[in-house]
């Protein structure tokens, strides 16, 4: 699913499809600068400092985290071999996957906050301005679509996610997806408000960058950005995640033997690839 409509599901999707290329994983520093280029221009000294930390973070991730991803995929493979996963089992998978993200945030937060302190006022304001621009562009794109168009996109994304892992769907499975798609609640407005809130918090933190608390406050934001989600936004995310788990539980009970073999092959492929990345 695209554009982070269901964060927990996207993390699970990452487990199933990320690290799909050793080139991508081994060139994460280049990809990072490609992404950052839309938000801030770093000086040579700033890049040198960030380069050093990225190398250290990737080394930690390769030696500590990849084996956790691999272990989860191995357990998931065993569960599938035993039969369809229930709604609660899927939710448990989502939660375990989310913990991978929490550990990564916690690892980089203190050092990233220290690096961020070296950004100039112009760099910070430029980054926030670029973020606002992209947010407005996404909002504008969202508002241009009719409800019917949004539903079609939702159905296409759900179908694509499942087909990527089990192959072509049966008519029954397509019907299941089309039944669930309209039930997911849009998070567009709540997500926009959340990002606005984050920007305001970041601006306030950087306004006091010379205080003792600066790095601690910024690190806390990096570790726990969800604390700035409204109860309404979190409720929608939780509802959508449970609905997604229900849909996957229903779909997995209809997998054909061919689809089960395809999924098993996909999982084995990811498990082996992660093993190769660990040993690189």
């Amino acid at each position: 699913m695209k554009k982070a409509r269901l964060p927990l599901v996207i993390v699970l999707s990452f487990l199933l499809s990320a690290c799909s290329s050793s080139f991508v994983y081994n060139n994460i520093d280049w990809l990072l600068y490609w992404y950052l280029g839309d938000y801030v221009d770093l000086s040579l000294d700033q890049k040198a400092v960030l380069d050093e930390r990225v190398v250290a973070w990737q080394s930690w991730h390769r030696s500590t985290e990849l084996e956790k991803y691999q272990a989860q995929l191995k357990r998931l493979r065993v569960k599938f071999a035993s039969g369809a996963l229930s709604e609660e089992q899927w939710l448990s998978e989502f939660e375990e996957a989310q913990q991978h993200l929490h550990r990564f945030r916690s690892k980089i937060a203190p050092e990233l906050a220290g690096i961020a302190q070296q950004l100039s006022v112009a760099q910070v304001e430029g980054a926030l301005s670029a973020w606002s621009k992209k947010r407005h562009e996404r909002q504008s794109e969202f508002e241009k679509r009719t409800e019917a168009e949004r539903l079609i996109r939702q159905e296409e994304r759900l179908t694509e996610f499942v087909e990527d892992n089990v192959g072509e769907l049966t008519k029954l499975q397509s019907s299941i997806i089309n039944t669930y798609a309209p039930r997911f609640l849009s998070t567009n407005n709540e997500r926009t408000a959340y990002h606005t809130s984050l920007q305001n918090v970041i601006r306030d933190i950087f306004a006091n960058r010379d205080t003792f608390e600066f790095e601690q406050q910024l690190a806390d934001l990096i570790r726990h950005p969800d604390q700035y989600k409204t109860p309404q936004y979190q409720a929608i995310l939780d509802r959508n995640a449970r609905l997604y788990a229900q849909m996957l539980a229903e779909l997995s009970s209809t997998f054909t033997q061919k689809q089960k073999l395809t999924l098993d092959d996909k999982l084995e492929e990811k498990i082996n690839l992660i093993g190769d990345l660990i040993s690189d």
Side-chain angles (χ1 to χ4, degrees):
M1 297 186 65
K2 205 172 179 181
K3 297 297 184 186
R5 285 181 180 272
L6 291 173
L8 296 182
V9 174
I10 286 193
V11 177
L12 179 62
S13 175
F14 170 80
L15 280 173
L16 295 174
S17 60
C19 299
S20 58
S21 164
S22 58
F23 173 82
V24 170
Y25 187 83
N26 291 325
N27 290 275
I28 195 66
D29 53 346
W30 178 84
L31 292 171
L32 175 63
Y33 287 125
W34 175 78
Y35 177 79
L36 285 177
D38 286 342
Y39 293 90
V40 60
D41 279 330
L42 298 178
S43 68
L44 292 178
D45 287 344
Q46 290 169 334
K47 285 184 177 180
V49 172
L50 185 57
D51 280 341
E52 182 180 342
R53 296 325 309 152
V54 169
V55 169
W57 293 336
Q58 188 179 44
S59 176
W60 163 81
H61 192 268
R62 191 189 301 272
S63 63
T64 304
E65 294 302 292
L66 285 182
E67 64 182 20
K68 294 183 174 68
Y69 297 173
Q70 188 183 56
Q72 183 177 0
L73 290 178
K74 287 180 177 179
R75 290 191 296 270
L76 187 59
R77 191 182 182 196
V78 171
K79 291 176 184 176
F80 273 123
S82 301
L85 273 67
S86 68
E87 173 187 335
E88 292 304 322
Q89 285 178 307
W90 277 113
L91 287 172
S92 178
E93 293 296 324
F94 298 167
E95 177 57 29
E96 183 176 354
Q98 185 72 75
Q99 293 307 312
H100 301 317
L101 180 59
H102 289 327
R103 288 194 305 274
F104 178 72
R105 285 174 177 167
S106 295
K107 172 64 178 179
I108 71 171
E111 295 170 341
L112 188 57
I115 294 173
Q117 191 172 28
Q118 305 308 313
L119 295 175
S120 69
V121 172
Q123 284 176 313
V124 173
E125 285 302 321
L128 291 175
S129 177
W131 187 4
S132 293
K133 181 180 179 181
K134 287 182 178 295
R135 190 180 72 244
H136 290 312
E137 289 174 350
R138 286 194 296 269
Q139 181 68 21
S140 177
E141 291 174 3
F142 176 82
E143 292 173 351
K144 288 178 182 177
R145 302 187 198 105
T146 65
E147 286 297 327
E149 290 172 333
R150 293 169 192 165
L151 178 57
I152 291 173
R153 286 169 63 87
Q154 178 79 312
E155 292 171 349
E156 290 174 344
R157 289 168 182 168
L158 292 170
T159 299
E160 181 181 3
F161 172 77
V162 180
E163 284 189 333
D164 282 347
N165 291 290
V166 302
E168 186 177 355
L169 303 184
T170 66
K171 290 183 178 180
L172 172 60
Q173 292 162 349
S174 295
S175 177
I176 291 172
I177 289 176
N178 292 341
T179 298
Y180 274 90
R183 298 169 60 189
F184 289 99
L185 298 179
S186 172
T187 60
N188 184 74
N189 293 336
E190 288 76 12
R191 184 173 64 249
T192 297
Y194 167 59
H195 286 177
T196 300
S197 178
L198 284 179
Q199 284 182 285
N200 291 335
V201 171
I202 291 171
R203 183 172 281 108
D204 289 343
I205 290 175
F206 272 92
N208 298 285
R209 70 164 72 208
D210 295 328
T211 65
F212 175 78
E213 295 84 3
F214 170 81
E215 287 191 28
Q216 180 179 344
Q217 291 174 341
L218 188 56
D220 183 63
L221 172 65
I222 296 169
R223 288 191 194 96
H224 307 294
D226 291 353
Q227 65 184 297
Y228 297 101
K229 290 176 180 174
T230 64
Q232 294 84 351
Y233 185 22
Q234 190 60 56
I236 292 175
L237 292 174
D238 292 343
R239 178 191 181 281
N240 284 352
R242 179 164 290 279
L243 192 62
Y244 203 99
Q246 292 173 3
M247 184 191 72
L248 290 180
E250 189 170 341
L251 283 171
S252 61
S253 69
T254 69
F255 287 165
T256 65
Q257 186 60 28
K258 181 180 179 180
Q259 289 173 326
K260 292 177 182 178
L261 291 174
T262 298
L263 177 58
D264 187 70
D265 288 344
K266 290 277 187 178
L267 289 170
E268 182 180 25
E269 178 185 340
K270 304 307 176 188
I271 290 168
N272 291 338
L273 177 56
I274 292 175
D276 291 341
L277 290 174
I278 292 173
S279 60
D280 277 352

